[in-house]
Amino acid sequence: MAAVAGVEQTRRLEVDPHPEGVIVGDLHRRVLGCLSPDTSLETLSRLATMDCSIEASLESMRHAQRAAARAAWVQARHAARLAGNVLFRAEDAHGEVNAVCEEISLALGTTRTQAERLVQVGRAAIADGPLLDTGTALHAGDITLEVAWEFVRALSPVALPVALAVEAEVLPEAPGHTPGEVRSAIARALIEIDPDDADARHTRARHTRGVTRPHPLPDGMARVSAFLPADDAAALDVALDAAALAAHTAGDHRTTGQLRADTLAAWAAIALHHGTDVTLESGQTVRSHPAKVAVTVPLEVLLRALPGFTPPASVGEVLAADITGIAPDVDLADADAPGPVSDLGSGHRTEAAILEGYGPIAPVIALMLAAGGTWQRLVTDTLTGRPLDVGRTRYTPPADLATALRVRDQHCTRPGCATAARNCDRDHVHEWADGGPTSADNLTHLCRHHHRLKSLNLAKPSPADQGNERTWTTVAGRSYTPMRARPPRKRAGPPPGEKPPPDPGKFNPRQFDGPPPF
């Protein structure tokens, strides 16, 4: 309490004559010296509102990190306890499944991978696990959860005496070092302490190799990560460097990073259009079929590419006009969005194109992708974007229904799951065996993992509401709703009244009577 009282007294100082906050910084040092991971974050929060020296700021951040480590220890301890609860366990023909990571990830708003780490750290380092010294260091705030995870990930699969020997050698040096440094130190110690098992560990790790699905990033970018054996990763790295060097030698001005990325994408494009040879475990070779990338492009985006078409003022243009006082170049009266310029609702919202397996993309990317391919007309509800008709390009109703569902859902409908709809199962919300119809309202996309949880009654989706959102209810009885992908479109003011006949000299998209996509 004395520390808090001292903080309140210092906050009444209106002028700090020292540029680096020496007076306040000295108080910071005295207060920080009394803190421990058990100290409430309230004291650190109060210190953060005051001016202080650089040293005091860094020390405050370090103490906050120690408190965060203690909080992670608490989460991991609870996660380990929940993992032992029989409520989350079920078994089918494929083996046992534990839904505790689903419950934790939804409750905390984290990924399932992060929840799995909490469970594994809790089991191995806290709840009577073998790496108790690692758990003690986390509890004391000496290491972060990320560093604790490096110990658990690397040492859980090895023999207990080896794991304890490596922990004893590396853990004392771990505080204050990054997860990458600790990972390298653990790998070195493992080889030095138990070189005979190094090959076996590599063989086990090699079975976990893989490439992630695209992780969406802002501005139409994505991240794909590859987990490869070291020799394969080195081969890929050298091959990309060789391609970049050849381009630079020929006078290309792109950076090495850009050339490496473009070369990798070009290899994928060749395989996409022409197929690629795949070597089987038997040594035989098969060739993959050409594949396609699906993109849903709104008509209003396609119209941007036509000469003479002037799109209505966007919300951004209206906002800029409201700030600068300069009206947009487009007459808002002709934009199906009546209202004054200062009313943001008068702006026209252009629907985003959707790249299957990724999500919303910028208009320029959509127009580039629209330059070729096979077209299929989709009619959607103006307000909700829900598919109403998929045209008659395909004649088999189940195929049309599958297309409508894929366009509607885009990905697994479990909140937070980004698995693309093309990689999901189409599941009956109301089981078909129990009388559930094969209809758009009763069908949803679930990835194989969440479909399995639903089949084992460890979770269940609800019927869709008017906005096509489904509530996901876990076995613990907690319900979660996904973030709405597209808010309903709203008009500003009453619908426009009668309009004069269109000017023959002005472009009118309704007069365009060409082949698809229009």
Side-chain angles (χ1 to χ4, degrees):
M1 295 301 295
V4 177
V7 171
E8 292 295 337
Q9 180 180 0
T10 306
R11 291 181 66 185
R12 288 194 288 270
L13 292 176
E14 297 182 358
V15 178
D16 182 4
H18 301 274
E20 286 296 321
V22 176
I23 294 179
V24 178
D26 180 66
L27 176 64
H28 269 76
R29 284 191 291 272
R30 283 183 285 152
V31 172
L32 291 173
C34 301
L35 295 181
S36 69
D38 286 327
T39 305
S40 170
L41 284 174
E42 181 63 27
T43 300
L44 291 170
S45 299
R46 294 187 180 186
L47 290 174
T49 64
M50 302 164 53
D51 185 24
C52 63
S53 66
I54 295 175
E55 179 186 356
S57 291
L58 294 175
E59 282 299 301
S60 293
M61 294 171 66
R62 189 180 68 84
H63 279 285
Q65 181 173 279
R66 293 178 63 195
R70 173 67 64 84
W73 182 92
V74 172
Q75 290 181 325
R77 183 67 184 88
H78 284 294
R81 182 181 294 112
L82 289 173
N85 195 312
V86 296
L87 178 67
F88 300 107
R89 297 179 183 176
E91 190 171 355
D92 58 12
H94 302 286
E96 183 179 287
V97 62
N98 193 325
V100 68
C101 293
E102 295 294 321
E103 196 75 44
I104 294 173
S105 66
L106 288 168
L108 302 183
T110 63
T111 65
R112 184 156 55 97
T113 299
Q114 292 172 315
E116 289 173 349
R117 290 185 179 183
L118 285 175
V119 170
Q120 293 186 47
V121 171
R123 282 176 161 175
I126 298 174
D128 298 326
L131 304 177
L132 293 181
D133 288 346
T134 298
T136 300
L138 179 65
H139 183 270
D142 294 334
I143 61 174
T144 63
L145 177 64
E146 291 77 13
V147 170
W149 165 244
E150 294 298 336
F151 281 95
V152 171
R153 176 172 62 175
L155 302 182
S156 292
V158 304
L160 180 58
V162 175
L164 294 179
V166 173
E167 182 188 46
E169 179 176 328
V170 179
L171 184 59
E173 304 296 327
H177 292 282
T178 66
E181 291 177 303
V182 173
R183 186 186 315 123
S184 179
I186 293 174
R188 174 192 53 76
L190 272 172
I191 294 175
E192 293 177 351
I193 293 175
D194 189 17
D196 296 335
D197 193 43
D199 292 337
R201 290 195 300 269
H202 171 71
T203 300
R204 292 193 298 267
R206 193 181 184 93
H207 286 293
T208 64
R209 64 190 182 276
V211 179
T212 65
R213 301 289 183 184
H215 175 71
L217 298 174
D219 303 322
M221 304 298 288
R223 177 184 292 111
V224 175
S225 301
F227 184 63
L228 303 171
D231 52 338
D232 292 339
L236 177 63
D237 182 56
V238 171
L240 292 176
D241 270 349
L245 178 61
H248 281 152
T249 303
D252 197 293
H253 295 292
R254 285 174 289 179
T255 66
T256 299
Q258 291 171 341
L259 283 167
R260 285 165 59 93
D262 294 345
T263 300
L264 189 61
W267 291 344
I270 294 173
L272 189 70
H273 292 295
H274 304 289
T276 187
D277 291 334
V278 181
T279 303
L280 306 180
E281 293 178 333
S282 62
Q284 296 179 332
T285 301
V286 297
R287 189 162 188 84
S288 66
H289 295 290
K292 295 181 180 180
V293 175
V295 58
T296 305
V297 187
L299 179 60
E300 57 193 5
V301 173
L302 293 173
L303 291 176
R304 291 169 173 259
L306 296 179
F309 176 74
T310 303
S314 67
V315 176
E317 290 177 305
V318 175
L319 175 61
D322 186 60
I323 295 175
T324 64
I326 302 176
D329 295 334
V330 182
D331 183 4
L332 291 178
D334 295 334
D336 280 342
V341 172
S342 60
D343 182 7
L344 285 181
S346 64
H348 176 75
R349 187 182 75 183
T350 299
E351 296 303 328
I354 302 296
L355 178 63
E356 187 175 6
Y358 171 79
I361 56 176
V364 64
I365 302 178
L367 292 174
M368 292 173 61
L369 293 173
T374 303
W375 288 95
Q376 181 179 14
R377 177 175 59 87
L378 299 173
V379 179
T380 60
D381 183 278
T382 304
L383 297 179
T384 65
R386 188 173 185 176
L388 300 177
D389 177 39
V390 294
R392 306 314 308 160
T393 304
R394 299 180 180 180
Y395 296 96
T396 306
D400 290 342
L401 178 60
T403 299
L405 292 172
R406 193 173 67 250
V407 172
R408 181 195 70 186
D409 293 341
Q410 295 297 324
H411 49 72
C412 174
T413 53
R414 181 268 197 187
C417 184
T419 303
R422 68 172 183 269
N423 299 317
C424 292
D425 299 332
R426 285 188 294 275
D427 177 66
H428 290 74
V429 176
H430 181 196
E431 294 292 353
W432 182 82
D434 297 332
T438 303
S439 64
D441 289 337
N442 192 48
L443 287 172
T444 189
H445 282 93
L446 292 177
C447 69
R448 187 59 53 87
H449 174 74
H450 292 121
H451 191 181
R452 187 182 180 196
L453 294 184
K454 188 246 185 184
S455 299
L456 292 172
N457 295 319
L458 294 175
K460 61 180 180 180
S462 70
D465 60 18
Q466 293 182 350
N468 192 42
E469 304 297 338
R470 298 183 186 273
T471 298
W472 182 263
T473 303
T474 67
V475 68
R478 299 168 66 95
S479 297
Y480 301 90
T481 302
M483 180 177 290
R484 190 177 296 275
R486 171 188 170 182
R489 183 191 290 270
K490 297 180 180 178
R491 291 185 181 272
E498 293 293 331
K499 292 187 176 181
D503 184 355
K506 185 176 180 180
F507 173 77
N508 182 2
R510 295 180 178 84
Q511 295 178 346
F512 186 81
D513 190 20
F518 307 107

